[in-house]
Amino acid sequence: MSRSASGLERNRSANVPAGAAVHVAARLEQGLELLDLEQDLLEVVRAFVGEEEITACGQAYRQASPRTAAGLFPEQISRLPVETARSAQSHALAARIAPRLQLTLHR
C-alpha cells in the first residue's frame, strides 16, 4: 500500500473532501451530468491538479472495489454509486466540506 493510501486509511473519518473529490472525478470521467455542487468542487480541484490527473483519479476510484473505497473514505462517500447524484446528500456533504475547503484555500 502506498504512503498516501496508508494515510487515507488511518484518517478515514476525516476524508470527506478527498472522497467527494474522487467521487466527482469518477462521475466526470464517466461523462455523467454533474450537479452544481459537484461542478463547484471540481473548480477547487482544478486549481491544484490538471484534467488528466482528475480523470485518472476518477477512473481509479471507479475501478476500486467497494471494500477498498470503504477502507479509505467515510461511508457517506464510499456507499454512493458513481452513477447516482443525490442532491440532498450532496447538500449535506457540502455543509461538511465547505469549512474545510475554506481553510485549505486560505492557508
Side-chain angles (χ1 to χ4, degrees):
M1 180 180 292
S2 71
R3 279 184 13 177
S4 56
S6 200
L8 285 172
E9 192 171 57
R10 280 192 308 275
N11 299 307
R12 183 178 166 269
S13 64
N15 295 334
V16 173
V22 295
H23 182 81
V24 171
R27 290 181 46 73
L28 177 71
E29 188 262 336
Q30 285 291 287
L32 299 170
E33 185 176 346
L34 303 179
L35 300 171
D36 289 346
L37 174 65
E38 293 172 319
Q39 291 283 0
D40 292 345
L41 181 55
L42 267 179
E43 289 306 311
V44 173
V45 172
R46 285 180 177 125
F48 298 97
V49 298
E51 287 299 316
E52 195 172 292
E53 289 173 288
I54 292 170
T55 300
C57 287
Q59 184 176 26
Y61 180 75
R62 187 177 49 78
Q63 293 174 346
S65 72
R67 183 176 179 188
T68 298
L72 299 174
F73 304 110
E75 185 179 328
Q76 68 264 38
I77 300 293
S78 63
R79 69 184 162 115
L80 289 176
V82 171
E83 302 78 21
T84 304
R86 297 183 183 168
S87 59
Q89 287 180 332
S90 297
H91 289 296
L93 184 60
R96 292 188 63 193
I97 292 173
R100 293 179 189 179
L101 288 178
Q102 287 177 346
L103 288 175
T104 302
L105 294 174
H106 293 296
R107 285 187 181 172

